Amino acid sequence: MASARLETLLNWCAQNDINIDPRIELIDNPNTGICVYSKEVPINALETLVTIPKTAVLSSRSSSLAHLIPEWDIPPYGHGAHLALALALYYEIVLGPESWWFGYLQSLPHEPVGIALFWGSDELQQGSRANRLQPQQQGQQGENSGERRQHHEEVSDGELARQWSVGTEIDREQRTEDGVWLLDELREYYYATVEPLFAKFASLPQSRLANHPSPSCTLPDYMHAYSLVSSRAFLVDAYHGLSMVPIADAFNHSQPNHVHLESEYDVCVICGSLSQCIHDEQEEEKNDANAPQAHIPSNDKKHSSSYVHAAAPPTTSASNETDNSPLHDPDRQEPDTCDMCTNLPIPPRTEVFNTYGPELTNAQLLVRYGFALPSNDNDVVSWKPDELSNMMNLSLSESIVSYSSSSGSGIPTPPPHDSFRLQPSFLSKEEASVVEASDPEVRLRSKAEWLGVKAKSHYWMLLEEVIHVWPTEARWKGSNLVYNPSVIYTNAGYMPDHVQHEEQDEDLEMYDEIDEVIVVDKEEAGDQLEVFTDKAKTAHGGAGFIQKGSSSAEEELELDRRFQGQPATRNTVQGTGRRLHQQQSQSRIARERDQVYERLRGTRSRTQKTRGGVRIKPVFCINGDAKLSHHLWAYCALVALVRTRTGIGRTRSGHGHGHLRSPIHSIPPLIIDVVTTGRVNEKNEDDMDKVDTMHEILQYLSWVVERQVALEGEMGEGSGKGEEEGMELDLGEREGVAGGMNVSGSAEEGEATDGPWGMNVDTRTEEREDVIETCICLQVVKELVRTVTSVCNERAMQLGRAPQMGELLDVSKLTSILPPLPEPKRVTFLFRALGRYPFRSFADQSVRAFLAPLFVDDSGPRNWNWTCMCGDISSARLDRSGYNLCDSPSLVLCVTFRTDNIELGRRVGEDAVRDGRSAE
Ligand SMILES: C[S@@+](CC[C@H](N)C(=O)[O-])C[C@H]1O[C@@H](n2cnc3c(N)ncnc32)[C@H](O)[C@@H]1O
């Protein structure tokens, strides 16, 4: 049976001609809120499930405020639009039953949505009077006191979560490009605009507020409205701009999604008319024949009278119709509507999901919507220039320099100074020999010199390469450097077949273009082709809209829309007000589609067929230790970069450049296995007896790594040239962007060909490439070892003995950063604060499975079994293309090693079953 608020909502919808397909139903779940489910019947793609007349849309233009503030200059999107719509919504909430939208408003959450922007906010701690709708709700849900209690808990949790999010992507998402905190803008707007307006309207006879029993406003109440806008608004069209769209906002988010909202964007910006209107004529008179868009007149103040009129509250009453009302245009055959359409078939009895944006990261979801996805491929880590240089320093001091842990049992002692050694992969032979001189003084001196000058410049050059030459992804976003891990992965996988077989320059150029689009095989994916757009062109500030007028942005949007199978005549509104897809000419779209499909022909599916690759996937860094993930990211980038720039890892083809191969192939399965499962592969039992403790694993891992390095040396010598040439990456010669890095060596041994990236590819012995590749990959492993070792040491010092599994990553690691709090509570607090609905949006199982062994709570240490090595890494997980080393929804980072090693994958799966855990 529908809850009372749902019943109220549905009645209101019926009165407002909102049509909901009988094959779906709205459900009011006491724990999770309102959501939409399919009923017994399957639903096909490309169907319309909900139609919402624009008369039912609540926007700044349609709200009761609009005719009270004729001069109201509302930006259609961006943070300005957000603030204005929050004001309009707030006003309607205050009007209560007098509001046209009252039936709809009652269905909205009564407490501020837990968006990250409000975590720990002082104002919300004082409490919100937002429940102006509360009296009508009493007895209807029986959850209000619980809601309030939860709210208060969340406020204190939020304070903690806010502290933990400092310096993370969450933090960054809460700021404008200029670094202004969105909450500061909100406060400023409230005091400069909202409060004075309410004061004015309370005394304005024509305002309904004048007779209202409680006409005053409060900041927490306004924040409540703001959070509703943040988590629910859509960009509807050029007239309404950012708007509340009843029923469309009942759909929860997932990626991929079943449905999306469509609406005609190109309406008259003055009156909202979809068809020709008087403003078009005025505009035509005004403009010469070259007017760019005849139907979209500029938002000229001289039209303010009709603006006021058009902005009057919507009504279905014929008596209110006027000549130029957009809502009652006599020429119009059909009402202008927003439609919720399917883009995927929906099975029976399934939750129907919208997407709030196909590229939203967890940080964005948390900041704007107050929840995160358990595993989000869109997650990125971004660097500001100063962070980048910090990172570089960190790398130089802690990472390029590695040390060997002491052998034997017990805790590894910190390395003595003279055991420092520079990674050969970053050194020319000359430099390496200086550093490795036998005289400790020379060694130390040269190390300092090297670190001071050469390593810095080499490492910096690599990073520069990453920044500027990265073949696919956005470089600088404002002042931030942005990477997307999926691109690294994809790019490491394949190049289009026809490029592999063509050596024509134009084809090689084409490859670059294609590379900007994640290629997916059309036949496999049908209409669900996935397109990457440049995040750098997406505006920030609660909007993410593509700037109009940027032709390349528009082109990308066209691609984006098209690949989601939308009819080209409709504007597809992605998510809740986050994205505008500008309508473009149908014929042009069709032409381009053909071209792109032509280009994509023969390419591989990213999801199904790409194998291999090292993928280090950072998740928002809730412990504030962003450096570690940045650091690992740099390595990941370097691995992929070196591979692409040198051609290492490419299998041979007759033409000299075939598929890329994964560097992970070069990491011995043993390492993968130990890292992944915390166990030693049976095949390698000769190498080591059973390992029981994390500490032993770490020691073992260190040993394996060292042995591997030694092996590399042998392999190099075995290849005839030895370390002299085999291990050297010559970074000194830069020939513009394309010629940055070559594998140097003797030309007689192999042929140097021009690869698709335009640099020399040395195709000498495969072993040699593997050696270099392995060496680079090992950096990643070493970094893990180093980090965990140091955590282990810290823990051991506390315990006075070697830590056992389950005792490793104690929260005490974080106590220096965070205020003290009992350990189990921290975790609970954090997760409750991060996901407004604890363990709902965070995939219950995986969170618990991940957290349980890491933190010792009252019930004692939990069983680690096959959970792997450090707190930054969650349990091994099978997926269709291998398994993830770690796939945690939280904590510092996720590292994903993929492999083709089916046997290994199966074994892990069997372990999982044996251990009674689900291999998700
Ligand atoms: C547009 S509303 C969706 C309807 C909402 N469930 C309700 O009760 O009204 C967006 C809000 O729903 C919740 N939500 C949507 N998708 C979610 C998801 N995948 N996981 C957790 N919460 C989600 C979040 O609280 C978000 O702020």
Side-chain angles (χ1 to χ4, degrees), residues 134-412:
Q134 200 80 354
Q136 285 71 29
Q137 298 296 314
Q138 273 166 7
Q140 293 178 359
Q141 292 186 71
E143 64 189 23
N144 293 329
S145 61
E147 242 182 48
R148 278 191 177 284
R149 207 173 31 251
Q150 188 190 350
H151 170 64
H152 286 303
E153 278 173 12
E154 276 171 11
V155 171
S156 49
D157 294 350
E159 170 57 25
L160 197 64
R162 191 183 58 73
Q163 291 171 31
W164 284 36
S165 67
V166 168
T168 68
E169 292 299 305
I170 299 172
D171 197 9
R172 191 156 302 169
E173 284 299 323
Q174 298 177 18
R175 293 176 190 279
T176 64
E177 287 292 348
D178 304 330
V180 180
W181 196 21
L182 295 177
L183 195 52
D184 284 340
E185 282 197 350
L186 181 155
R187 290 190 184 114
E188 201 183 315
Y189 185 81
Y190 175 79
Y191 291 115
T193 308
V194 180
E195 218 173 43
L197 274 181
F198 266 72
K200 184 176 153 195
F201 294 152
S203 59
L204 212 62
Q206 70 265 37
S207 144
R208 276 179 273 176
L209 213 54
N211 301 321
H212 201 280
S214 147
S216 63
C217 60
T218 69
L219 178 56
D221 284 353
Y222 176 69
M223 288 167 77
H224 172 231
Y226 179 99
S227 74
L228 295 176
V229 171
S230 178
S231 58
R232 315 177 82 88
F234 292 82
L235 187 70
V236 163
D237 62 28
Y239 171 75
H240 284 287
L242 199 63
S243 312
M244 306 296 283
V245 186
I247 303 298
D249 63 3
F251 292 81
N252 284 328
H253 165 87
S254 83
Q255 193 63 39
N257 53 311
H258 301 108
V259 294
H260 59 272
L261 192 68
E262 291 186 9
S263 80
E264 299 288 356
Y265 184 82
D266 291 337
V267 297
C268 173
V269 294
I270 299 168
C271 70
S273 170
L274 178 61
S275 52
Q276 285 284 319
C277 71
I278 190 167
H279 307 110
D280 293 329
E281 288 161 26
Q282 289 169 351
E283 190 66 15
E284 273 161 25
E285 280 167 22
K286 210 173 87 184
N287 294 330
D288 57 32
N290 294 332
Q293 292 198 46
H295 189 67
I296 304 186
S298 65
N299 192 356
D300 196 323
K301 282 278 161 41
K302 84 178 181 195
H303 297 295
S304 59
S305 59
S306 54
Y307 167 92
V308 175
H309 182 82
T315 171
T316 49
S317 153
S319 62
N320 279 1
E321 286 186 11
T322 57
D323 287 350
N324 61 352
S325 163
L327 312 171
H328 306 282
D329 184 343
D331 294 338
R332 295 257 311 272
Q333 299 299 311
E334 285 182 20
D336 191 6
T337 58
C338 299
D339 300 341
M340 205 39 117
C341 306
T342 58
N343 43 277
L344 281 181
I346 307 169
R349 295 177 298 281
T350 307
E351 177 161 6
V352 183
F353 287 107
N354 182 18
T355 175
Y356 302 166
E359 294 173 6
L360 288 172
T361 64
N362 270 346
Q364 288 167 330
L365 285 172
L366 283 165
V367 171
R368 301 173 190 178
Y369 302 92
F371 72 94
L373 296 175
S375 172
N376 188 339
D377 276 348
N378 291 328
D379 277 330
V380 295
V381 163
S382 54
W383 292 296
K384 286 181 175 166
D386 55 332
E387 290 171 327
L388 203 56
S389 56
N390 285 344
M391 183 177 75
M392 186 179 69
N393 290 333
L394 179 79
S395 301
L396 290 175
S397 57
E398 294 178 19
S399 181
I400 285 188
V401 180
S402 73
Y403 59 83
S404 49
S405 60
S406 68
S407 57
S409 61
I411 308 304

Side-chain angles (χ1 to χ4, degrees), residues 24 108 201 222 273 287 322 349 353 363-364 380 564 570 583 665 723 806 841 874 882 885 895:
I24 57 170
L108 302 179
F201 294 152
Y222 176 69
S273 170
N287 294 330
T322 57
R349 295 177 298 281
F353 287 107
Q364 288 167 330
V380 295
Q564 289 179 31
R570 297 284 283 178
Q583 177 182 328
H665 288 285
E723 198 174 334
S841 50
S874 78
L885 167 58
V895 180

Side-chain angles (χ1 to χ4, degrees), residues 490 494-500 510-511 514-515 517-525 529 596-606 609-610 659:
T490 303
Y494 292 98
M495 67 179 89
D497 283 344
H498 70 284
V499 174
Q500 291 159 27
M510 189 191 285
Y511 177 65
I514 292 171
D515 217 10
V517 175
I518 293 297
V519 285
V520 182
D521 189 86
K522 190 193 168 202
E523 276 153 40
E524 279 176 26
L529 292 184
V596 174
Y597 282 162
E598 183 60 27
R599 281 193 224 145
L600 299 184
R601 205 153 40 85
T603 58
R604 306 252 175 169
S605 155
R606 174 171 73 111
K609 292 195 179 164
T610 306
H659 289 320

